[in-house]
Amino acid sequence: MIRANKTYGFTIAVKELKETVPNIFRYASAYKRMNNLTSQGLWEMFAEPAEEPKSPATEDPKYKAPLPEEILSTESGQGGLPDIDPEAMEGEVYNMCHFWSNFEIARLDWFRSKEYNDFFDMMDRSGGFWMERWGDAPIHSLAAGALLAPKDIHYFRDIGYRHTTIQHCPANAPGNRQLARPPFLEMTTQDEKKRKEEDEYWETWDSVKENGVGCRCKCDTDIVDVEGKQGSCLSQWVDVAGGWASA
């Protein structure tokens, strides 16, 4: 990341539970507007066009032109105004994508920067952390979308990570790209036999595959990799980055 001047790195990108982030996108979008920020290409990973409100069928003989708003309450169901999406902002809605912060590597000077802290302070003042249970992952992601470009982000596709049933485990790289593995007898296991058994388990790894990028990975085949799983946001990443890796 230092050599390539990257700011933020991730290994899993998935969709957030909608119930946990009400209004978060509206505040993030408002921050962009208030600070005259234009997207550098990453915002589109998290935003998509809002659906156009459905217009009344004027050709319907029962159609009545919309009445003044103060009268509509007494004419329920007659000449109603189009529904407005309460989550939409600036013609966009949040697609729930975010970088999973369980594994992230980032430059601390970005998190300490004035622009990031201005963003965070506005989100904090909204009360969403306390009233709506906003988590750190969508905050980091929307801040990156507002302030960074795809070229500032690194996808650690070659590093495996698993949490419960969500797993990214890359296929091992072909050729001579598998590094030698010295024995690793981790010291937290007191039983010497179990320590050796653990090391022997990792001594054998999956076969290499064409286009693989992993190093000595051993994947749990009972779990579908997040890259091909419903709810993954890797396709959105590929769209904004122009491929698996950003330039």
Side-chain angles (χ1 to χ4, degrees):
M1 288 182 66
I2 294 174
R3 287 197 303 268
N5 196 30
K6 301 293 184 179
T7 300
Y8 184 93
F10 73 98
T11 191
I12 288 178
V14 291
K15 295 202 172 185
E16 181 61 285
L17 298 173
K18 187 174 183 179
E19 297 79 8
T20 67
V21 287
N23 295 310
I24 192 172
F25 182 77
R26 292 170 61 84
Y27 280 100
S29 180
Y31 176 84
K32 282 180 74 249
R33 182 189 63 203
M34 291 169 60
N35 290 275
N36 297 315
L37 298 177
T38 56
S39 171
Q40 301 179 60
L42 186 60
W43 180 257
E44 286 71 20
M45 179 176 173
F46 311 108
E48 58 188 38
E51 290 186 6
E52 291 291 333
K54 294 181 180 179
S55 300
T58 54
E59 65 276 6
D60 188 333
K62 297 181 180 179
Y63 169 76
K64 294 176 65 177
L67 300 173
E69 201 163 352
E70 64 270 19
I71 301 177
L72 286 177
S73 59
T74 63
E75 300 256 344
S76 180
Q78 299 293 322
L81 295 173
D83 290 335
I84 296 175
D85 186 345
E87 296 294 328
M89 190 71 165
E90 303 291 316
E92 298 174 320
V93 293
Y94 186 25
N95 62 13
M96 300 296 141
C97 285
H98 67 294
F99 301 128
W100 233 21
S101 58
N102 299 51
F103 179 104
E104 64 180 359
I105 299 176
R107 293 180 54 151
L108 291 179
D109 60 355
W110 180 61
F111 282 131
R112 293 166 177 159
S113 67
K114 182 180 184 303
E115 57 181 4
Y116 180 86
N117 279 278
D118 285 348
F119 174 87
F120 184 89
D121 287 345
M122 176 174 171
M123 303 303 279
D124 189 24
R125 287 194 302 271
S126 75
F129 292 115
W130 321 109
M131 303 297 292
E132 299 177 342
R133 190 244 178 240
W134 295 349
D136 60 319
I139 289 290
H140 293 175
S141 302
L142 290 170
L147 303 172
L148 301 177
K151 66 179 179 60
D152 301 315
I153 310 297
H154 181 67
Y155 173 28
F156 284 100
R157 198 183 184 201
D158 55 335
I159 293 181
Y161 180 82
R162 173 182 170 181
H163 178 70
T164 63
T165 58
I166 298 179
Q167 168 182 282
H168 171 58
C169 191
N172 286 320
N176 298 320
R177 295 165 62 186
Q178 298 303 310
L179 302 178
R181 178 186 178 277
F184 176 71
L185 301 177
E186 56 91 13
M187 303 306 294
T188 59
T189 302
Q190 299 297 316
D191 189 305
E192 185 70 17
K193 181 181 178 181
K194 289 184 177 179
R195 288 173 58 203
K196 290 183 178 179
E197 288 175 350
E198 179 77 5
D199 182 70
E200 289 170 359
Y201 174 81
W202 294 108
E203 183 62 35
T204 57
W205 47 84
D206 295 345
S207 301
V208 301
K209 292 185 179 180
E210 185 179 1
N211 298 322
V213 295
C215 180
R216 303 195 305 260
C217 291
K218 193 165 187 173
C219 303
D220 188 339
T221 56
D222 293 337
I223 298 178
V224 177
D225 193 276
V226 71
E227 281 193 0
K229 198 170 186 176
Q230 186 176 7
S232 170
C233 292
L234 270 301
S235 61
Q236 285 87 346
W237 163 250
V238 169
D239 286 345
V240 299
W244 292 111
S246 58

